[in-house]
Amino acid sequence: MEYYNKVIESVGVRFLKGNNYKIDKSVSVSDYNDTENTVILLHQGSLKFSDEGEGVNEGEILFIPAGRKSNVSFGNVTKKSDLTNEAFLDNKRKYLQTISFKDIKNTEEDCITVVNFEAKVFDVVNFFHSLGIPPFVIRFNDKIATIIEDIVKESEQSVPGKERVSKLQTELLVIEIVRHILKNRLFVEELSTNSTYFKDPRLIDMFNYIKKNIGGDLSNKVLAKVANVSEDYVGQYFKMLTSINPQDYIEYQRMEAAVELLRTSKKSIRDIGKEVGYKDTAYFCRRFKMMYGLPAGKMRRRESLINVQ
């Protein structure tokens, strides 16, 4: 138990956005994903995910860890015609319309609440992504459903302390998701195996070095010096503790840094690529689209596309 307390204490949480939606037109998205964690609470109607079309019951929550892709169907899709995530975001207003909690109670149409949040270990490692767990349904948990509703209700208000309350509620959401995983023995093996990095300070040193030098030389030779292990062993050492090789992890972190710059700066795509370690802009753009399913330029406009008016 003490180990899991340490895990939870090490996770930094940030609320990003939350909305209620009415499903105007049913749609199936073949590779639904987001750069951060997503919870989708189904109030009424139909919501399915995975290649097998696993159903979510009313009052249950679909949890999609950051960076994990899944086939997601909103509404009762009668004719199978999948959109890509990129096409869905480009045309989201066609399928989803924002709605108030009051209107949810007064409509018979399919309705959902969606919350996106960040959960990172030592502000570096994307916690749920690093566990290697797939999207899954949180069943029979009214407490988590209520927290999701409270987060969105708070975000809709214009009152002092709103940001602080939203953060506290989102921290509670993360704790309850971890408790749900442990209580129902979901992915316990992944949780115990893939979070071993909490125990090794040398790995934390590497995480912090990568974060501070994201645009610099992050070769295995450099990482070996940081961790004080041999260059031949550093890749095996990193993968043994994280289940991912260091260069794949570095690329993921570089892309996350690029997304943050796209959201918060007016720098050119070329300059952003260079800042996060890519000298070749064309290669950066290819890798970015491969990872996120849409070009960097469209990612820059993603906030306005996601927040349907």
Side-chain angles (χ1 to χ4, degrees), residues 206 209-210 216-236 238 246-247 250:
M206 279 199 283
Y209 185 86
I210 290 168
D217 182 3
L218 294 174
S219 62
N220 280 6
K221 182 177 181 179
V222 171
L223 296 182
K225 290 181 179 179
V226 173
N228 196 27
V229 298
S230 73
E231 183 179 350
D232 292 336
Y233 177 64
V234 70
Q236 179 183 343
F238 192 98
Q247 295 309 314
I250 288 166

PDB file of all heavy atoms in Angstrom, residues 206 209-210 216-236 238 246-247 250:
ATOM      1  N   MET A 206      17.639  10.571 -15.423  1.00  0.00           N
ATOM      2  CA  MET A 206      17.545  10.566 -16.890  1.00  0.00           C
ATOM      3  C   MET A 206      16.286  11.258 -17.368  1.00  0.00           C
ATOM      4  O   MET A 206      16.300  12.031 -18.335  1.00  0.00           O
ATOM      5  CB  MET A 206      17.608   9.126 -17.426  1.00  0.00           C
ATOM      6  CG  MET A 206      19.011   8.576 -17.534  1.00  0.00           C
ATOM      7  SD  MET A 206      19.114   7.149 -18.650  1.00  0.00           S
ATOM      8  CE  MET A 206      18.443   5.875 -17.602  1.00  0.00           C
ATOM      9  N   TYR A 209      16.831  14.942 -17.038  1.00  0.00           N
ATOM     10  CA  TYR A 209      17.810  15.426 -18.013  1.00  0.00           C
ATOM     11  C   TYR A 209      17.173  15.541 -19.392  1.00  0.00           C
ATOM     12  O   TYR A 209      17.385  16.526 -20.112  1.00  0.00           O
ATOM     13  CB  TYR A 209      19.019  14.484 -18.078  1.00  0.00           C
ATOM     14  CG  TYR A 209      20.124  15.002 -18.976  1.00  0.00           C
ATOM     15  CD1 TYR A 209      21.083  15.872 -18.483  1.00  0.00           C
ATOM     16  CD2 TYR A 209      20.178  14.649 -20.325  1.00  0.00           C
ATOM     17  CE1 TYR A 209      22.086  16.382 -19.309  1.00  0.00           C
ATOM     18  CE2 TYR A 209      21.156  15.156 -21.165  1.00  0.00           C
ATOM     19  CZ  TYR A 209      22.109  16.018 -20.646  1.00  0.00           C
ATOM     20  OH  TYR A 209      23.085  16.524 -21.463  1.00  0.00           O
ATOM     21  N   ILE A 210      16.394  14.525 -19.758  1.00  0.00           N
ATOM     22  CA  ILE A 210      15.708  14.543 -21.060  1.00  0.00           C
ATOM     23  C   ILE A 210      14.775  15.742 -21.147  1.00  0.00           C
ATOM     24  O   ILE A 210      14.734  16.445 -22.159  1.00  0.00           O
ATOM     25  CB  ILE A 210      14.939  13.220 -21.281  1.00  0.00           C
ATOM     26  CG1 ILE A 210      15.933  12.070 -21.501  1.00  0.00           C
ATOM     27  CG2 ILE A 210      13.984  13.328 -22.473  1.00  0.00           C
ATOM     28  CD1 ILE A 210      15.303  10.691 -21.433  1.00  0.00           C
ATOM     29  N   GLY A 216      18.394  18.949 -27.350  1.00  0.00           N
ATOM     30  CA  GLY A 216      19.831  18.711 -27.477  1.00  0.00           C
ATOM     31  C   GLY A 216      20.189  17.268 -27.792  1.00  0.00           C
ATOM     32  O   GLY A 216      19.361  16.472 -28.228  1.00  0.00           O
ATOM     33  N   ASP A 217      21.447  16.941 -27.547  1.00  0.00           N
ATOM     34  CA  ASP A 217      21.961  15.592 -27.796  1.00  0.00           C
ATOM     35  C   ASP A 217      21.464  14.657 -26.704  1.00  0.00           C
ATOM     36  O   ASP A 217      21.837  14.796 -25.533  1.00  0.00           O
ATOM     37  CB  ASP A 217      23.495  15.623 -27.803  1.00  0.00           C
ATOM     38  CG  ASP A 217      24.101  14.254 -28.099  1.00  0.00           C
ATOM     39  OD1 ASP A 217      23.332  13.289 -28.353  1.00  0.00           O
ATOM     40  OD2 ASP A 217      25.338  14.135 -28.076  1.00  0.00           O
ATOM     41  N   LEU A 218      20.624  13.698 -27.078  1.00  0.00           N
ATOM     42  CA  LEU A 218      20.094  12.726 -26.126  1.00  0.00           C
ATOM     43  C   LEU A 218      20.409  11.309 -26.590  1.00  0.00           C
ATOM     44  O   LEU A 218      19.596  10.398 -26.486  1.00  0.00           O
ATOM     45  CB  LEU A 218      18.574  12.917 -25.968  1.00  0.00           C
ATOM     46  CG  LEU A 218      18.142  14.244 -25.330  1.00  0.00           C
ATOM     47  CD1 LEU A 218      16.626  14.390 -25.348  1.00  0.00           C
ATOM     48  CD2 LEU A 218      18.656  14.355 -23.896  1.00  0.00           C
ATOM     49  N   SER A 219      21.597  11.158 -27.084  1.00  0.00           N
ATOM     50  CA  SER A 219      22.051   9.842 -27.526  1.00  0.00           C
ATOM     51  C   SER A 219      22.251   8.922 -26.328  1.00  0.00           C
ATOM     52  O   SER A 219      22.323   9.374 -25.178  1.00  0.00           O
ATOM     53  CB  SER A 219      23.372   9.966 -28.291  1.00  0.00           C
ATOM     54  OG  SER A 219      24.377  10.488 -27.428  1.00  0.00           O
ATOM     55  N   ASN A 220      22.336   7.634 -26.590  1.00  0.00           N
ATOM     56  CA  ASN A 220      22.581   6.676 -25.497  1.00  0.00           C
ATOM     57  C   ASN A 220      23.906   6.965 -24.798  1.00  0.00           C
ATOM     58  O   ASN A 220      24.045   6.720 -23.598  1.00  0.00           O
ATOM     59  CB  ASN A 220      22.582   5.247 -26.046  1.00  0.00           C
ATOM     60  CG  ASN A 220      21.177   4.720 -26.258  1.00  0.00           C
ATOM     61  OD1 ASN A 220      20.199   5.453 -26.107  1.00  0.00           O
ATOM     62  ND2 ASN A 220      21.055   3.455 -26.610  1.00  0.00           N
ATOM     63  N   LYS A 221      24.867   7.517 -25.539  1.00  0.00           N
ATOM     64  CA  LYS A 221      26.163   7.853 -24.938  1.00  0.00           C
ATOM     65  C   LYS A 221      25.993   8.915 -23.858  1.00  0.00           C
ATOM     66  O   LYS A 221      26.569   8.822 -22.763  1.00  0.00           O
ATOM     67  CB  LYS A 221      27.121   8.354 -26.029  1.00  0.00           C
ATOM     68  CG  LYS A 221      28.517   8.690 -25.514  1.00  0.00           C
ATOM     69  CD  LYS A 221      29.421   9.114 -26.666  1.00  0.00           C
ATOM     70  CE  LYS A 221      30.830   9.420 -26.173  1.00  0.00           C
ATOM     71  NZ  LYS A 221      31.727   9.818 -27.301  1.00  0.00           N
ATOM     72  N   VAL A 222      25.171   9.919 -24.151  1.00  0.00           N
ATOM     73  CA  VAL A 222      24.919  10.989 -23.182  1.00  0.00           C
ATOM     74  C   VAL A 222      24.122  10.469 -21.991  1.00  0.00           C
ATOM     75  O   VAL A 222      24.440  10.753 -20.832  1.00  0.00           O
ATOM     76  CB  VAL A 222      24.159  12.152 -23.852  1.00  0.00           C
ATOM     77  CG1 VAL A 222      23.694  13.168 -22.816  1.00  0.00           C
ATOM     78  CG2 VAL A 222      25.026  12.829 -24.900  1.00  0.00           C
ATOM     79  N   LEU A 223      23.077   9.668 -22.273  1.00  0.00           N
ATOM     80  CA  LEU A 223      22.249   9.127 -21.197  1.00  0.00           C
ATOM     81  C   LEU A 223      23.049   8.209 -20.282  1.00  0.00           C
ATOM     82  O   LEU A 223      22.806   8.157 -19.074  1.00  0.00           O
ATOM     83  CB  LEU A 223      21.058   8.363 -21.789  1.00  0.00           C
ATOM     84  CG  LEU A 223      20.054   9.191 -22.592  1.00  0.00           C
ATOM     85  CD1 LEU A 223      18.914   8.306 -23.078  1.00  0.00           C
ATOM     86  CD2 LEU A 223      19.511  10.354 -21.776  1.00  0.00           C
ATOM     87  N   ALA A 224      23.998   7.482 -20.854  1.00  0.00           N
ATOM     88  CA  ALA A 224      24.833   6.580 -20.049  1.00  0.00           C
ATOM     89  C   ALA A 224      25.637   7.366 -19.011  1.00  0.00           C
ATOM     90  O   ALA A 224      25.786   6.929 -17.860  1.00  0.00           O
ATOM     91  CB  ALA A 224      25.767   5.787 -20.962  1.00  0.00           C
ATOM     92  N   LYS A 225      26.121   8.536 -19.402  1.00  0.00           N
ATOM     93  CA  LYS A 225      26.876   9.375 -18.463  1.00  0.00           C
ATOM     94  C   LYS A 225      25.968   9.909 -17.357  1.00  0.00           C
ATOM     95  O   LYS A 225      26.366   9.970 -16.187  1.00  0.00           O
ATOM     96  CB  LYS A 225      27.531  10.534 -19.209  1.00  0.00           C
ATOM     97  CG  LYS A 225      28.674  10.105 -20.131  1.00  0.00           C
ATOM     98  CD  LYS A 225      29.296  11.318 -20.811  1.00  0.00           C
ATOM     99  CE  LYS A 225      30.455  10.900 -21.716  1.00  0.00           C
ATOM    100  NZ  LYS A 225      31.057  12.064 -22.411  1.00  0.00           N
ATOM    101  N   VAL A 226      24.742  10.277 -17.723  1.00  0.00           N
ATOM    102  CA  VAL A 226      23.797  10.801 -16.736  1.00  0.00           C
ATOM    103  C   VAL A 226      23.471   9.740 -15.688  1.00  0.00           C
ATOM    104  O   VAL A 226      23.398  10.023 -14.484  1.00  0.00           O
ATOM    105  CB  VAL A 226      22.498  11.273 -17.428  1.00  0.00           C
ATOM    106  CG1 VAL A 226      21.441  11.656 -16.390  1.00  0.00           C
ATOM    107  CG2 VAL A 226      22.776  12.450 -18.354  1.00  0.00           C
ATOM    108  N   ALA A 227      23.256   8.502 -16.155  1.00  0.00           N
ATOM    109  CA  ALA A 227      22.871   7.413 -15.243  1.00  0.00           C
ATOM    110  C   ALA A 227      24.059   6.676 -14.650  1.00  0.00           C
ATOM    111  O   ALA A 227      23.884   5.802 -13.791  1.00  0.00           O
ATOM    112  CB  ALA A 227      21.988   6.411 -15.994  1.00  0.00           C
ATOM    113  N   ASN A 228      25.268   7.031 -15.114  1.00  0.00           N
ATOM    114  CA  ASN A 228      26.486   6.372 -14.638  1.00  0.00           C
ATOM    115  C   ASN A 228      26.457   4.870 -14.886  1.00  0.00           C
ATOM    116  O   ASN A 228      26.764   4.057 -14.014  1.00  0.00           O
ATOM    117  CB  ASN A 228      26.704   6.664 -13.144  1.00  0.00           C
ATOM    118  CG  ASN A 228      28.135   6.343 -12.708  1.00  0.00           C
ATOM    119  OD1 ASN A 228      29.059   6.388 -13.528  1.00  0.00           O
ATOM    120  ND2 ASN A 228      28.300   6.006 -11.437  1.00  0.00           N
ATOM    121  N   VAL A 229      26.047   4.502 -16.124  1.00  0.00           N
ATOM    122  CA  VAL A 229      26.111   3.102 -16.571  1.00  0.00           C
ATOM    123  C   VAL A 229      26.808   3.102 -17.917  1.00  0.00           C
ATOM    124  O   VAL A 229      27.042   4.150 -18.527  1.00  0.00           O
ATOM    125  CB  VAL A 229      24.706   2.462 -16.694  1.00  0.00           C
ATOM    126  CG1 VAL A 229      24.005   2.424 -15.353  1.00  0.00           C
ATOM    127  CG2 VAL A 229      23.848   3.198 -17.709  1.00  0.00           C
ATOM    128  N   SER A 230      27.150   1.928 -18.409  1.00  0.00           N
ATOM    129  CA  SER A 230      27.870   1.851 -19.679  1.00  0.00           C
ATOM    130  C   SER A 230      26.947   2.170 -20.851  1.00  0.00           C
ATOM    131  O   SER A 230      25.729   1.946 -20.785  1.00  0.00           O
ATOM    132  CB  SER A 230      28.475   0.462 -19.867  1.00  0.00           C
ATOM    133  OG  SER A 230      27.465  -0.487 -20.157  1.00  0.00           O
ATOM    134  N   GLU A 231      27.523   2.675 -21.935  1.00  0.00           N
ATOM    135  CA  GLU A 231      26.742   2.999 -23.123  1.00  0.00           C
ATOM    136  C   GLU A 231      26.087   1.757 -23.708  1.00  0.00           C
ATOM    137  O   GLU A 231      24.968   1.809 -24.214  1.00  0.00           O
ATOM    138  CB  GLU A 231      27.648   3.660 -24.171  1.00  0.00           C
ATOM    139  CG  GLU A 231      26.907   4.106 -25.410  1.00  0.00           C
ATOM    140  CD  GLU A 231      27.825   4.780 -26.423  1.00  0.00           C
ATOM    141  OE1 GLU A 231      28.996   5.069 -26.088  1.00  0.00           O
ATOM    142  OE2 GLU A 231      27.369   5.002 -27.564  1.00  0.00           O
ATOM    143  N   ASP A 232      26.758   0.625 -23.630  1.00  0.00           N
ATOM    144  CA  ASP A 232      26.198  -0.618 -24.163  1.00  0.00           C
ATOM    145  C   ASP A 232      25.002  -1.110 -23.346  1.00  0.00           C
ATOM    146  O   ASP A 232      24.129  -1.801 -23.873  1.00  0.00           O
ATOM    147  CB  ASP A 232      27.269  -1.717 -24.188  1.00  0.00           C
ATOM    148  CG  ASP A 232      28.375  -1.427 -25.194  1.00  0.00           C
ATOM    149  OD1 ASP A 232      28.097  -0.668 -26.147  1.00  0.00           O
ATOM    150  OD2 ASP A 232      29.489  -1.933 -25.027  1.00  0.00           O
ATOM    151  N   TYR A 233      24.958  -0.724 -22.084  1.00  0.00           N
ATOM    152  CA  TYR A 233      23.924  -1.240 -21.178  1.00  0.00           C
ATOM    153  C   TYR A 233      22.751  -0.287 -20.990  1.00  0.00           C
ATOM    154  O   TYR A 233      21.645  -0.720 -20.631  1.00  0.00           O
ATOM    155  CB  TYR A 233      24.553  -1.542 -19.806  1.00  0.00           C
ATOM    156  CG  TYR A 233      23.580  -2.007 -18.746  1.00  0.00           C
ATOM    157  CD1 TYR A 233      22.887  -3.208 -18.890  1.00  0.00           C
ATOM    158  CD2 TYR A 233      23.335  -1.232 -17.614  1.00  0.00           C
ATOM    159  CE1 TYR A 233      21.982  -3.641 -17.916  1.00  0.00           C
ATOM    160  CE2 TYR A 233      22.451  -1.655 -16.632  1.00  0.00           C
ATOM    161  CZ  TYR A 233      21.774  -2.862 -16.798  1.00  0.00           C
ATOM    162  OH  TYR A 233      20.879  -3.278 -15.842  1.00  0.00           O
ATOM    163  N   VAL A 234      22.925   1.007 -21.282  1.00  0.00           N
ATOM    164  CA  VAL A 234      21.922   1.997 -20.907  1.00  0.00           C
ATOM    165  C   VAL A 234      20.562   1.730 -21.575  1.00  0.00           C
ATOM    166  O   VAL A 234      19.507   1.908 -20.948  1.00  0.00           O
ATOM    167  CB  VAL A 234      22.410   3.434 -21.213  1.00  0.00           C
ATOM    168  CG1 VAL A 234      22.479   3.699 -22.720  1.00  0.00           C
ATOM    169  CG2 VAL A 234      21.508   4.464 -20.530  1.00  0.00           C
ATOM    170  N   GLY A 235      20.563   1.275 -22.828  1.00  0.00           N
ATOM    171  CA  GLY A 235      19.297   0.989 -23.497  1.00  0.00           C
ATOM    172  C   GLY A 235      18.550  -0.151 -22.836  1.00  0.00           C
ATOM    173  O   GLY A 235      17.328  -0.076 -22.606  1.00  0.00           O
ATOM    174  N   GLN A 236      19.291  -1.209 -22.496  1.00  0.00           N
ATOM    175  CA  GLN A 236      18.687  -2.372 -21.824  1.00  0.00           C
ATOM    176  C   GLN A 236      18.202  -1.989 -20.429  1.00  0.00           C
ATOM    177  O   GLN A 236      17.106  -2.389 -19.998  1.00  0.00           O
ATOM    178  CB  GLN A 236      19.721  -3.494 -21.715  1.00  0.00           C
ATOM    179  CG  GLN A 236      19.212  -4.738 -21.013  1.00  0.00           C
ATOM    180  CD  GLN A 236      20.299  -5.795 -20.853  1.00  0.00           C
ATOM    181  OE1 GLN A 236      21.334  -5.746 -21.535  1.00  0.00           O
ATOM    182  NE2 GLN A 236      20.089  -6.737 -19.953  1.00  0.00           N
ATOM    183  N   PHE A 238      17.254   1.033 -19.347  1.00  0.00           N
ATOM    184  CA  PHE A 238      16.075   1.891 -19.457  1.00  0.00           C
ATOM    185  C   PHE A 238      14.834   1.060 -19.779  1.00  0.00           C
ATOM    186  O   PHE A 238      13.788   1.216 -19.165  1.00  0.00           O
ATOM    187  CB  PHE A 238      16.320   2.939 -20.552  1.00  0.00           C
ATOM    188  CG  PHE A 238      15.315   4.058 -20.570  1.00  0.00           C
ATOM    189  CD1 PHE A 238      15.598   5.264 -19.958  1.00  0.00           C
ATOM    190  CD2 PHE A 238      14.090   3.913 -21.216  1.00  0.00           C
ATOM    191  CE1 PHE A 238      14.676   6.317 -19.974  1.00  0.00           C
ATOM    192  CE2 PHE A 238      13.166   4.948 -21.244  1.00  0.00           C
ATOM    193  CZ  PHE A 238      13.469   6.148 -20.616  1.00  0.00           C
ATOM    194  N   PRO A 246      14.907   3.822 -24.787  1.00  0.00           N
ATOM    195  CA  PRO A 246      15.069   5.247 -24.493  1.00  0.00           C
ATOM    196  C   PRO A 246      14.792   6.162 -25.679  1.00  0.00           C
ATOM    197  O   PRO A 246      14.227   7.238 -25.507  1.00  0.00           O
ATOM    198  CB  PRO A 246      16.519   5.364 -24.012  1.00  0.00           C
ATOM    199  CG  PRO A 246      17.189   4.111 -24.451  1.00  0.00           C
ATOM    200  CD  PRO A 246      16.136   3.068 -24.479  1.00  0.00           C
ATOM    201  N   GLN A 247      15.160   5.758 -26.894  1.00  0.00           N
ATOM    202  CA  GLN A 247      14.957   6.641 -28.041  1.00  0.00           C
ATOM    203  C   GLN A 247      13.471   6.779 -28.392  1.00  0.00           C
ATOM    204  O   GLN A 247      13.029   7.846 -28.829  1.00  0.00           O
ATOM    205  CB  GLN A 247      15.776   6.150 -29.239  1.00  0.00           C
ATOM    206  CG  GLN A 247      17.287   6.233 -29.011  1.00  0.00           C
ATOM    207  CD  GLN A 247      17.745   7.614 -28.523  1.00  0.00           C
ATOM    208  OE1 GLN A 247      17.331   8.645 -29.053  1.00  0.00           O
ATOM    209  NE2 GLN A 247      18.606   7.635 -27.502  1.00  0.00           N
ATOM    210  N   ILE A 250      12.191   9.198 -25.805  1.00  0.00           N
ATOM    211  CA  ILE A 250      12.646  10.552 -26.122  1.00  0.00           C
ATOM    212  C   ILE A 250      11.791  11.157 -27.233  1.00  0.00           C
ATOM    213  O   ILE A 250      11.394  12.323 -27.170  1.00  0.00           O
ATOM    214  CB  ILE A 250      14.137  10.547 -26.519  1.00  0.00           C
ATOM    215  CG1 ILE A 250      14.997  10.289 -25.270  1.00  0.00           C
ATOM    216  CG2 ILE A 250      14.547  11.868 -27.179  1.00  0.00           C
ATOM    217  CD1 ILE A 250      16.427   9.926 -25.568  1.00  0.00           C
TER     218      ILE A 250
END
